[in-house]
Amino acid sequence: MTSLKGKRIGFGLTGSHCTYDAVFPEIVRLVDEGAEVIPVVSWTVQSTNTRFGEGAEWIERIEKATGNKAIDSIVKAEPLGPKIPLDCMVIAPLTGNSMSKFANALTDSPVLMAAKATLRNQSPVVLGISTNDALGLNGVNLMRLMATKNIYFIPYGQDDPTKKPNSMVARMTMLRDTVAAAIEGRQLQPVIVERFRDGEE
């Protein structure tokens, strides 16, 4: 599988705050493999403080881990098109709100602009969903993105079928392999998996 050493990877985060703990080790993993990781954060990440941590603290951690300042505006994200192209753009976690906007060509955040700029270059965009309505009203948007050229998904599954039957979350431990496959033009399979492996929480 493709080495990620020397690859320039954009890493967008949207407002699924409970998922950041699962995503952060995967950012570090990309950096440790030798990728240049450029963080991109949505308005919600920048402005929201929750029991899972303050937005500014998460941004600081990610900037420290990657060695790059976070892109925090649409203007700063636009050059990730032809001027400063990425080998791959990751959005993880991708909320249902941002997923619905992306599927309907709405570009109103730095993360969505970075994704649009990458698709403009016909380069891969990898999505790691975290949404309570993937099997509800947002299902149509999920399927639209799955059928779109140059968009790939970190394998995902239901995270709590009993209490939240419409909710689906990516298995973030598969992020690295999904990115490598996407750079090769392949979707990592299977796409639909159990959310957790045995022993994972």
Side-chain angles (χ1 to χ4, degrees), residues 21-200:
D21 273 331
V23 168
F24 187 77
E26 304 310 314
I27 295 174
V28 173
R29 186 180 179 191
L30 296 177
V31 172
D32 287 346
E33 190 168 333
E36 178 188 3
V37 178
I38 301 171
V40 187
V41 292
S42 70
W43 310 126
T44 301
V45 174
Q46 297 175 50
S47 63
T48 305
N49 301 325
T50 72
R51 63 190 175 91
F52 301 103
E54 296 187 4
E57 291 176 348
W58 278 110
I59 292 171
E60 184 179 358
R61 284 184 66 188
I62 291 164
E63 288 179 337
K64 185 176 180 180
T66 62
N68 286 311
K69 293 289 290 182
I71 291 174
D72 57 5
S73 72
I74 291 174
V75 171
K76 292 177 184 177
E78 195 278 335
L80 296 177
K83 187 175 181 181
I84 312 172
L86 301 170
D87 293 295
C88 182
M89 175 69 195
V90 178
I91 307 177
L94 174 69
T95 62
N97 184 54
S98 290
M99 180 169 70
S100 66
K101 292 178 179 181
F102 192 28
N104 289 281
L106 296 177
T107 309
D108 65 352
S109 80
V111 172
L112 295 178
M113 174 56 79
K116 176 183 177 181
T118 303
L119 288 180
R120 178 183 175 188
N121 292 338
Q122 300 187 55
S123 295
V125 174
V126 168
L127 306 179
I129 66 170
S130 179
T131 171
N132 287 325
D133 66 345
L135 298 178
L137 286 175
N138 234 330
V140 64
N141 296 312
L142 176 59
M143 291 302 110
R144 177 176 289 173
L145 289 169
M146 287 198 70
T148 301
K149 183 180 179 181
N150 293 324
I151 291 180
Y152 303 87
F153 281 80
I154 301 168
Y156 57 85
Q158 289 174 284
D159 56 307
D160 191 345
T162 302
K163 296 180 181 178
K164 300 188 296 179
N166 287 344
S167 179
M168 300 189 90
V169 178
R171 188 190 286 172
M172 297 301 179
T173 54
M174 301 181 77
L175 188 154
R176 183 264 171 224
D177 288 348
T178 305
V179 170
I183 290 173
E184 296 175 356
R186 297 187 297 107
Q187 169 62 57
L188 191 68
Q189 297 289 347
V191 180
I192 309 299
V193 296
E194 289 185 89
R195 169 63 179 88
F196 299 109
R197 288 191 176 98
D198 289 342
E200 290 185 345

